[in-house]
Amino acid sequence: MREIKGVIFDCDGTLADTMPLHWKAWQRIMQKHGLLFPEERFYSLGGVPSRDIIAMLCQEQGKQLDCLAVSKEKEEAYLPFLPSVKPIDIVVEVAEANHGKLPMAVASGGMKHIIEQVLEHLKIRHYFDAVVTSEDIKNQKPAPDIFLEAARRIGVPPQFCRAYEDTDLGLQAIRSAGMEGVDVRELLRLHTSLEEPKSVV
């Protein structure tokens, strides 16, 4: 079993329960610009920057839009939801338990100013020695770049890092980086099943 010397977390859907709120913002902007973006696909693309998703949708649907401008619109539409963001307790507890013991970072496909605000809102920004976002690297998830950059910034070789993610694309990026990956969806499923009341026979 490998020795873990650093811990890295995705933010949206991992540390913070933001995905339903992001979906609300996406719905508004897609409706405005006449783009189709099914909810199931939105969740499957967790960790992919907004601008890349918009470019993909435009190409598929024959639309010509300024992807950066529409991406900014989407982030602006999300900002009013920030005060209602809740932590994903089971993951935040891991960060809390390792604070001051191991170097930790956030590796998120979101925009830096948004991610920083989410972490501050949840009062957990001080847990992390580095926050790496889509703006800091060229190749996005499922490429390993964002996790490799996070490991570099906390000074821990990738093979000694454990990383937490809630999407298949993110977990693929973690594996490509040579890190140990933890699927947050599995943690939540296990946690929920443990909390369910047992039927009396």
Side-chain angles (χ1 to χ4, degrees):
M1 197 167 164
R2 70 173 88 188
E3 184 187 356
I4 301 301
K5 298 179 180 178
V7 192
I8 300 170
F9 300 86
D10 171 48
C11 184
D12 293 310
T14 297
L15 287 164
D17 189 10
T18 53
M19 296 301 277
L21 304 176
H22 275 293
W23 172 238
K24 285 183 181 178
W26 270 110
Q27 283 179 296
R28 288 183 188 177
I29 300 306
M30 294 299 93
Q31 194 172 12
K32 177 184 173 183
H33 292 285
L35 284 169
L36 297 173
F37 190 27
E39 187 173 6
E40 188 179 317
R41 192 170 187 201
F42 159 73
Y43 279 100
S44 75
L45 290 171
V48 178
S50 303
R51 61 182 182 273
D52 294 356
I53 292 173
I54 293 159
M56 191 190 309
L57 295 174
C58 284
Q59 188 177 11
E60 291 169 359
Q61 296 172 38
K63 295 263 186 184
Q64 286 195 325
L65 296 172
D66 181 336
C67 298
L68 273 178
V70 177
S71 172
K72 283 179 181 168
E73 280 183 50
K74 185 262 153 183
E75 298 306 336
E76 290 299 318
Y78 169 69
L79 282 173
F81 296 116
L82 257 175
S84 55
V85 171
K86 299 279 192 292
I88 295 179
D89 292 324
I90 196 168
V91 183
V92 170
E93 283 164 12
V94 173
E96 194 173 3
N98 287 293
H99 177 50
K101 297 172 187 172
L102 293 174
M104 295 191 293
V106 170
S108 168
M111 304 288 284
K112 188 175 282 292
H113 72 287
I114 301 272
I115 298 303
E116 290 280 3
Q117 284 183 68
V118 169
L119 297 173
E120 291 288 354
H121 165 70
L122 296 178
K123 298 181 171 58
I124 60 172
R125 175 61 183 87
H126 62 287
Y127 290 166
F128 305 104
D129 305 287
V131 174
V132 184
T133 67
S134 61
E135 296 154 273
D136 297 312
I137 43 110
K138 184 181 176 185
N139 300 307
Q140 308 296 335
K141 302 172 187 178
D145 302 35
I146 200 163
F147 288 102
L148 293 172
E149 178 61 16
R152 187 189 71 78
R153 290 194 190 182
I154 60 173
V156 179
Q159 66 268 29
F160 297 117
C161 290
R162 176 180 290 144
Y164 289 75
E165 257 285 0
D166 68 304
T167 67
D168 292 338
L169 290 177
L171 289 161
Q172 189 180 329
I174 290 167
R175 285 192 292 272
S176 298
M179 299 178 182
E180 180 182 297
V182 178
D183 189 337
V184 170
R185 295 167 298 188
E186 292 299 323
L187 285 184
L188 290 168
R189 271 197 283 270
L190 181 63
H191 187 66
T192 304
S193 67
L194 289 173
E195 285 188 337
E196 282 175 1
K198 302 293 182 283
S199 58
V200 179
V201 180

